[in-house]
Amino acid sequence: LAKTTQPISMDSYEGQEVNITCSHNNIATNDYITWYQQFPSQGPRFIIQGYKTKVTNEVASLFIPADRKSSTLSLPRVSLSDTAVYYCLVGDNTNTGNQFYFGTGTSLTVIP
Amino acid sequence: NAGVTQTPKFQVLKTGQSMTLQCAQDMNHEYMSWYRQDPGMGLRLIHYSVGAGITDQGEVPNGYNVSRSTTEDFPLRLLSAAPSQTSVYFCASSYGGTDFYEQYFGPGTRLTVT
Protein backbone atom coordinates (compact mmCIF):
# COMPACT_ATOMS: atom_id res chain seq x y z
CA LEU A 1 0.00 0.00 0.00
CA ALA A 2 1.31 3.40 -0.93
CA LYS A 3 2.55 5.59 1.90
CA THR A 4 2.09 9.32 1.81
CA THR A 5 4.21 12.32 2.79
CA GLN A 6 2.70 15.70 3.67
CA PRO A 7 4.02 18.86 5.34
CA ILE A 8 3.54 18.67 9.09
CA SER A 9 2.02 22.13 9.39
CA MET A 10 1.01 25.21 7.42
CA ASP A 11 -0.20 28.69 8.28
CA SER A 12 -2.40 30.87 6.12
CA TYR A 13 -4.23 34.15 6.42
CA GLU A 14 -7.97 34.32 6.14
CA GLY A 15 -9.22 34.77 2.60
CA GLN A 16 -6.17 33.21 0.95
CA GLU A 17 -6.11 30.08 -1.18
CA VAL A 18 -4.29 27.20 0.49
CA ASN A 19 -2.59 24.38 -1.39
CA ILE A 20 -1.50 21.26 0.49
CA THR A 21 0.65 18.83 -1.46
CA CYS A 22 0.95 15.13 -0.77
CA SER A 23 3.63 12.80 -2.17
CA HIS A 24 2.78 9.17 -2.92
CA ASN A 25 5.61 7.85 -5.08
CA ASN A 26 4.54 4.21 -4.81
CA ILE A 27 0.93 4.69 -5.82
CA ALA A 28 -0.53 1.62 -7.49
CA THR A 29 -2.68 1.50 -10.60
CA ASN A 30 -5.88 0.79 -8.69
CA ASP A 31 -5.29 3.35 -5.92
CA TYR A 32 -7.53 6.34 -5.43
CA ILE A 33 -6.44 9.51 -3.63
CA THR A 34 -8.68 10.75 -0.85
CA TRP A 35 -8.49 13.73 1.48
CA TYR A 36 -10.06 14.05 4.91
CA GLN A 37 -10.41 16.92 7.37
CA GLN A 38 -10.33 16.46 11.14
CA PHE A 39 -11.26 18.99 13.80
CA PRO A 40 -10.10 18.46 17.41
CA SER A 41 -12.10 15.83 19.31
CA GLN A 42 -14.03 14.82 16.20
CA GLY A 43 -13.80 12.00 13.69
CA PRO A 44 -12.35 12.74 10.25
CA ARG A 45 -14.67 14.04 7.55
CA PHE A 46 -14.40 13.18 3.86
CA ILE A 47 -13.50 16.16 1.67
CA ILE A 48 -12.73 14.90 -1.83
CA GLN A 49 -11.38 11.97 -3.80
CA GLY A 50 -9.94 11.49 -7.24
CA TYR A 51 -8.04 9.19 -9.54
CA LYS A 52 -6.45 11.52 -12.09
CA THR A 53 -6.49 15.10 -13.44
CA LYS A 54 -8.73 17.49 -11.53
CA VAL A 55 -11.75 17.04 -9.30
CA THR A 56 -13.76 19.90 -7.83
CA ASN A 57 -16.63 20.01 -5.38
CA GLU A 58 -18.25 22.73 -3.30
CA VAL A 59 -15.50 22.55 -0.68
CA ALA A 60 -12.20 21.98 -2.46
CA SER A 61 -10.32 21.04 -5.60
CA LEU A 62 -7.95 18.14 -6.05
CA PHE A 63 -5.18 18.30 -8.64
CA ILE A 64 -3.45 15.08 -9.71
CA PRO A 65 -0.64 15.16 -12.31
CA ALA A 66 -0.36 12.55 -15.02
CA ASP A 67 2.21 10.42 -13.15
CA ARG A 68 -0.05 10.41 -10.03
CA LYS A 69 2.97 10.46 -7.72
CA SER A 70 1.63 13.51 -5.92
CA SER A 71 -1.61 15.38 -5.42
CA THR A 72 -2.57 18.86 -4.25
CA LEU A 73 -5.60 19.78 -2.21
CA SER A 74 -6.67 23.34 -2.88
CA LEU A 75 -8.92 25.21 -0.42
CA PRO A 76 -10.22 28.50 -1.85
CA ARG A 77 -10.44 31.56 0.39
CA VAL A 78 -9.95 29.85 3.75
CA SER A 79 -11.68 31.04 6.89
CA LEU A 80 -10.86 30.50 10.57
CA SER A 81 -13.19 27.50 10.59
CA ASP A 82 -10.88 25.71 8.13
CA THR A 83 -8.27 25.36 10.88
CA ALA A 84 -7.93 21.58 11.12
CA VAL A 85 -5.71 18.62 10.28
CA TYR A 86 -5.87 17.46 6.66
CA TYR A 87 -5.03 13.88 5.74
CA CYS A 88 -4.07 12.53 2.35
CA LEU A 89 -4.80 8.83 1.90
CA VAL A 90 -3.98 6.50 -0.95
CA GLY A 91 -5.58 3.09 -1.24
CA ASP A 92 -7.70 0.67 -3.15
CA ASN A 93 -10.77 -1.36 -2.38
CA THR A 94 -9.90 -4.62 -4.05
CA ASN A 95 -10.98 -7.75 -2.26
CA THR A 96 -7.57 -8.19 -0.69
CA GLY A 97 -6.92 -4.63 0.29
CA ASN A 98 -9.87 -2.74 1.73
CA GLN A 99 -7.61 -0.64 3.85
CA PHE A 100 -6.79 2.98 4.40
CA TYR A 101 -3.62 4.28 5.92
CA PHE A 102 -3.67 7.68 7.57
CA GLY A 103 -0.37 9.48 7.95
CA THR A 104 0.22 12.24 10.47
CA GLY A 105 -1.56 14.78 8.28
CA THR A 106 -1.01 18.50 7.78
CA SER A 107 -2.09 20.82 10.57
CA LEU A 108 -3.47 23.96 8.92
CA THR A 109 -3.81 27.10 11.03
CA VAL A 110 -5.77 29.99 9.56
CA ILE A 111 -4.73 33.34 10.95
CA PRO A 112 -7.12 36.32 11.16
CA ASN B 1 -30.32 8.94 9.81
CA ALA B 2 -28.22 8.87 12.96
CA GLY B 3 -25.13 8.01 10.88
CA VAL B 4 -22.38 6.24 12.81
CA THR B 5 -22.88 6.06 16.56
CA GLN B 6 -20.37 4.96 19.17
CA THR B 7 -20.79 4.15 22.84
CA PRO B 8 -19.53 4.94 25.35
CA LYS B 9 -18.03 8.40 24.75
CA PHE B 10 -15.57 8.02 27.62
CA GLN B 11 -14.29 5.00 29.52
CA VAL B 12 -11.69 4.37 32.19
CA LEU B 13 -10.43 0.82 32.67
CA LYS B 14 -7.94 -0.81 34.98
CA THR B 15 -5.16 -2.91 33.51
CA GLY B 16 -6.41 -6.42 32.77
CA GLN B 17 -10.09 -5.52 32.51
CA SER B 18 -12.04 -6.29 29.37
CA MET B 19 -14.70 -4.28 27.63
CA THR B 20 -16.56 -3.83 24.37
CA LEU B 21 -16.74 -0.60 22.40
CA GLN B 22 -19.99 -0.41 20.48
CA CYS B 23 -20.39 0.90 16.93
CA ALA B 24 -23.57 1.03 14.88
CA GLN B 25 -24.55 2.57 11.55
CA ASP B 26 -27.97 2.97 9.97
CA MET B 27 -26.88 3.64 6.39
CA ASN B 28 -26.76 -0.01 5.25
CA HIS B 29 -23.04 0.31 4.63
CA GLU B 30 -21.13 -2.84 3.73
CA TYR B 31 -17.75 -1.70 5.00
CA MET B 32 -16.99 -0.93 8.65
CA SER B 33 -13.71 -0.35 10.41
CA TRP B 34 -12.07 0.57 13.69
CA TYR B 35 -9.20 3.01 14.10
CA ARG B 36 -7.23 4.25 17.06
CA GLN B 37 -5.71 7.70 17.30
CA ASP B 38 -2.95 8.49 19.76
CA PRO B 39 -2.12 12.09 20.73
CA GLY B 40 -0.60 14.07 17.87
CA MET B 41 -0.77 11.15 15.49
CA GLY B 42 -2.87 9.98 12.61
CA LEU B 43 -5.37 7.17 12.71
CA ARG B 44 -4.23 3.56 12.60
CA LEU B 45 -6.49 0.80 11.33
CA ILE B 46 -7.22 -1.95 13.87
CA HIS B 47 -9.76 -4.24 12.18
CA TYR B 48 -12.22 -3.95 9.34
CA SER B 49 -15.16 -5.79 7.83
CA VAL B 50 -16.44 -5.89 4.25
CA GLY B 51 -19.78 -7.41 5.23
CA ALA B 52 -21.65 -9.40 7.84
CA GLY B 53 -19.63 -12.44 8.88
CA ILE B 54 -16.40 -11.18 7.31
CA THR B 55 -13.62 -9.46 9.27
CA ASP B 56 -9.92 -8.92 8.76
CA GLN B 57 -6.95 -7.40 10.52
CA GLY B 58 -5.59 -3.96 9.90
CA GLU B 59 -2.31 -2.36 10.87
CA VAL B 60 -2.51 -2.77 14.69
CA PRO B 61 -4.84 -5.70 15.55
CA ASN B 62 -3.07 -7.16 18.59
CA GLY B 63 -5.14 -7.05 21.79
CA TYR B 64 -8.42 -6.47 19.97
CA ASN B 65 -11.17 -8.74 18.65
CA VAL B 66 -14.09 -7.94 16.37
CA SER B 67 -17.14 -9.67 14.99
CA ARG B 68 -19.80 -8.64 12.47
CA SER B 69 -23.01 -10.58 12.98
CA THR B 70 -25.23 -7.91 11.40
CA THR B 71 -24.73 -5.21 8.78
CA GLU B 72 -25.44 -2.50 11.33
CA ASP B 73 -23.14 -3.40 14.23
CA PHE B 74 -19.38 -3.80 14.54
CA PRO B 75 -18.24 -4.07 18.19
CA LEU B 76 -14.59 -3.90 19.21
CA ARG B 77 -13.51 -6.01 22.17
CA LEU B 78 -10.49 -5.32 24.34
CA LEU B 79 -9.56 -8.68 25.81
CA SER B 80 -7.22 -7.57 28.60
CA ALA B 81 -6.72 -3.82 28.68
CA ALA B 82 -3.19 -2.42 28.83
CA PRO B 83 -2.00 1.18 29.34
CA SER B 84 -0.72 1.11 25.73
CA GLN B 85 -4.35 0.91 24.61
CA THR B 86 -5.10 4.34 26.02
CA SER B 87 -6.30 6.17 22.93
CA VAL B 88 -9.28 7.60 21.09
CA TYR B 89 -11.14 4.98 19.08
CA PHE B 90 -13.06 5.81 15.94
CA CYS B 91 -15.47 3.62 14.04
CA ALA B 92 -16.15 4.27 10.35
CA SER B 93 -18.41 2.90 7.63
CA SER B 94 -18.92 3.24 3.90
CA TYR B 95 -20.49 1.64 0.86
CA GLY B 96 -18.38 -0.59 -1.33
CA GLY B 97 -17.13 0.11 -4.82
CA THR B 98 -15.82 3.60 -5.52
CA ASP B 99 -17.98 4.92 -2.64
CA PHE B 100 -15.62 3.01 -0.31
CA TYR B 101 -13.41 6.07 -0.21
CA GLU B 102 -16.11 8.28 1.33
CA GLN B 103 -16.04 6.94 4.86
CA TYR B 104 -18.31 8.21 7.63
CA PHE B 105 -16.73 8.40 11.06
CA GLY B 106 -18.36 8.22 14.45
CA PRO B 107 -17.69 10.75 17.23
CA GLY B 108 -15.12 8.54 18.94
CA THR B 109 -14.62 6.81 22.28
CA ARG B 110 -11.92 8.17 24.55
CA LEU B 111 -10.41 5.26 26.50
CA THR B 112 -7.99 5.54 29.41
CA VAL B 113 -6.34 2.44 30.88
CA THR B 114 -4.70 2.90 34.27
Side-chain angles (χ1 to χ4, degrees):
Chain A
L1 291 165
K3 298 295 185 183
T4 60
T5 303
Q6 305 173 231
I8 293 174
S9 64
M10 295 179 67
D11 293 336
S12 176
Y13 287 102
E14 259 190 309
Q16 290 189 328
E17 178 184 76
V18 171
N19 295 311
I20 306 174
T21 297
C22 178
S23 294
H24 27 82
N25 291 320
N26 297 323
I27 190 168
T29 303
N30 292 334
D31 286 345
Y32 277 72
I33 300 157
T34 311
W35 286 79
Y36 282 81
Q37 175 191 56
Q38 186 179 27
F39 297 114
S41 301
Q42 294 186 24
R45 183 177 72 102
F46 172 88
I47 301 175
I48 197 167
Q49 67 133 334
Y51 184 81
K52 61 180 179 180
T53 63
K54 176 184 174 182
V55 181
T56 298
N57 62 22
E58 63 278 6
V59 176
S61 294
L62 178 60
F63 298 92
I64 305 169
D67 66 6
R68 305 203 322 126
K69 292 184 183 299
S70 67
S71 58
T72 299
L73 175 73
S74 180
L75 305 172
R77 299 179 299 281
V78 293
S79 64
L80 296 177
S81 62
D82 292 317
T83 293
V85 178
Y86 293 82
Y87 294 96
C88 163
L89 289 82
V90 173
D92 68 71
N93 68 332
T94 64
N95 288 335
T96 57
N98 288 288
Q99 301 193 33
F100 264 156
Y101 284 98
F102 284 79
T104 52
T106 298
S107 178
L108 172 66
T109 301
V110 180
I111 305 165
Chain B
N1 286 349
V4 179
T5 58
Q6 292 184 237
T7 56
K9 285 188 169 53
F10 301 94
Q11 182 71 48
V12 179
L13 289 178
K14 294 188 187 308
T15 298
Q17 288 184 317
S18 62
M19 79 159 295
T20 299
L21 279 63
Q22 301 292 343
C23 174
Q25 52 89 11
D26 60 358
M27 297 172 281
N28 202 32
H29 284 167
E30 302 161 30
Y31 182 90
M32 296 186 75
S33 57
W34 277 101
Y35 294 86
R36 61 177 287 174
Q37 185 172 35
D38 299 321
M41 298 182 65
L43 286 77
R44 291 185 291 171
L45 181 66
I46 304 171
H47 284 285
Y48 65 96
S49 168
V50 299
I54 306 169
T55 63
D56 207 343
Q57 297 180 350
E59 188 182 2
V60 288
N62 292 340
Y64 307 95
N65 272 357
V66 292
S67 60
R68 184 105 178 263
S69 56
T70 67
T71 300
E72 294 79 17
D73 300 297
F74 191 44
L76 178 72
R77 297 182 187 85
L78 278 70
L79 307 172
S80 178
S84 61
Q85 294 179 303
T86 293
S87 189
V88 180
Y89 292 83
F90 291 102
C91 178
S93 72
S94 71
Y95 291 111
T98 55
D99 289 334
F100 162 79
Y101 305 100
E102 185 171 353
Q103 301 212 0
Y104 293 78
F105 282 80
T109 294
R110 188 175 298 273
L111 175 68
T112 301
V113 183
T114 61

